[in-house]
Amino acid sequence: MTINYDAVLDDMVSAAREAGALTLEHFKHFRDLEIGVKGPGDFVSDADRDSETLIRDRLLSRYPGWSLTGEEFAPVEGEDPEHRWLVDPIDGTTNFIYGQHYTITISLRRGRETLCGLVYNPVADEMFTARLGGGAWLNGERLHVSRSTDVAMMCVGTGLPTPNLSLYPGAYARLDAIRAPIGAVRVVGSAANSCAYVACGRLTGYFEETGFVDTAAGILLVQEAGGIVTDWWGRGPDIYEKTGTLIVANPATHAYLVEQLAAVPRKEPKGP
């Protein structure tokens, strides 16, 4: 059976917009949200669970044999071993619970290949979409990474975890290593949105230790917009999937970040 992946992406967009409307209703009352704690600095709200439930229902009813991995519930293993949705129903939950911008991100994988993905910011009504080989888009406008090559004009995104998070140590040392000569450092608070900002040129690069469910769609956006995706030591996206140490950037910023992060002890991939 031939699958029309453009139509699949349309269905993803519809599900994300519906989830966006749902989460915005929660967002209007962010001071009254019931917040749970999954771990140090890792929060969850009813809005996360409601959003993922809606997206699951919409996608799996339309494509019942496919699999799905989300953030809030156990994975769904469908009859089709190749096609798998990756869903983060609210990326940037800390932003969300404090009334700041957040995103919804959905990607579709076939084996180890991301076929299409989206990052949706409901607050700004910005829908970033990408199809493998079909370019990256924001609300219908074609995207390209920044062409800037001047180190002094680089604007790099990252995250600043609290010390009790179980992440690769030395976040502040890495920040110190890259920040002196560049133009600006920004903490967007959503890995998916940070990738989208690289794709559209609002950031020239972004690096952080983060999860693949959060960033699969954003990585495709950056690649389709002409950017480079590796781990911190310049190894390909397949290595990042296993280490979580991500760089997405335009060519000049990528070269700068790899050079500045070269002294960081390598994190080796686990698993096949």
Side-chain angles (χ1 to χ4, degrees), residues 154-161 167-180 182 184-198 203-211 215 219 222 228-234 240 244-250 253-262 264:
M154 290 177 181
C155 183
V156 175
T158 190
L160 295 177
L167 296 174
Y168 209 52
Y172 288 86
R174 291 190 294 276
L175 175 63
D176 196 52
I178 67 103
R179 69 183 175 84
I182 66 175
V185 175
R186 292 291 180 266
V187 177
V188 175
S190 160
N193 214 18
S194 297
C195 292
Y197 280 9
V198 173
L203 296 173
T204 63
Y206 164 69
F207 76 102
E208 190 173 7
E209 182 177 3
T210 186
T215 55
I219 285 171
V222 172
I228 299 175
V229 179
T230 67
D231 76 347
W232 294 346
W233 302 276
Y240 156 66
T245 50
L246 176 66
I247 294 175
V248 294
N250 73 359
T253 305
H254 179 267
Y256 172 79
L257 289 174
V258 169
E259 179 182 8
Q260 298 305 114
L261 297 173
V264 177

Side-chain angles (χ1 to χ4, degrees), residues 89-234:
I90 294 180
D91 185 51
T93 299
T94 302
N95 280 13
F96 179 83
I97 65 178
Y98 285 103
Q100 301 174 34
H101 285 217
Y102 64 96
T103 56
I104 295 165
T105 182
I106 307 171
S107 57
L108 176 65
R109 300 269 283 176
R110 185 179 61 196
R112 296 188 63 85
E113 188 173 55
T114 303
L115 299 179
C116 44
L118 66 82
V119 175
Y120 181 45
N121 177 342
V123 180
D125 193 24
E126 291 186 331
M127 179 67 74
F128 296 86
T129 57
R131 262 276 279 126
L132 183 63
W137 305 81
L138 167 57
N139 294 347
E141 180 180 346
R142 186 71 180 260
L143 299 181
H144 302 280
V145 297
S146 167
R147 295 189 294 271
S148 175
T149 60
D150 185 350
V151 173
M153 295 300 294
M154 290 177 181
C155 183
V156 175
T158 190
L160 295 177
T162 54
N164 55 353
L165 289 178
S166 299
L167 296 174
Y168 209 52
Y172 288 86
R174 291 190 294 276
L175 175 63
D176 196 52
I178 67 103
R179 69 183 175 84
I182 66 175
V185 175
R186 292 291 180 266
V187 177
V188 175
S190 160
N193 214 18
S194 297
C195 292
Y197 280 9
V198 173
C200 71
R202 294 176 187 169
L203 296 173
T204 63
Y206 164 69
F207 76 102
E208 190 173 7
E209 182 177 3
T210 186
F212 189 66
V213 170
D214 305 353
T215 55
I219 285 171
L220 182 61
L221 281 165
V222 172
Q223 291 172 322
E224 290 294 321
I228 299 175
V229 179
T230 67
D231 76 347
W232 294 346
W233 302 276

Side-chain angles (χ1 to χ4, degrees), residues 31-50:
R31 292 180 180 83
D32 302 317
L33 288 171
E34 292 291 331
I35 308 301
V37 179
K38 293 190 287 186
D42 190 7
F43 304 107
V44 63
S45 71
D46 287 341
D48 294 80
R49 291 181 282 259
D50 291 349

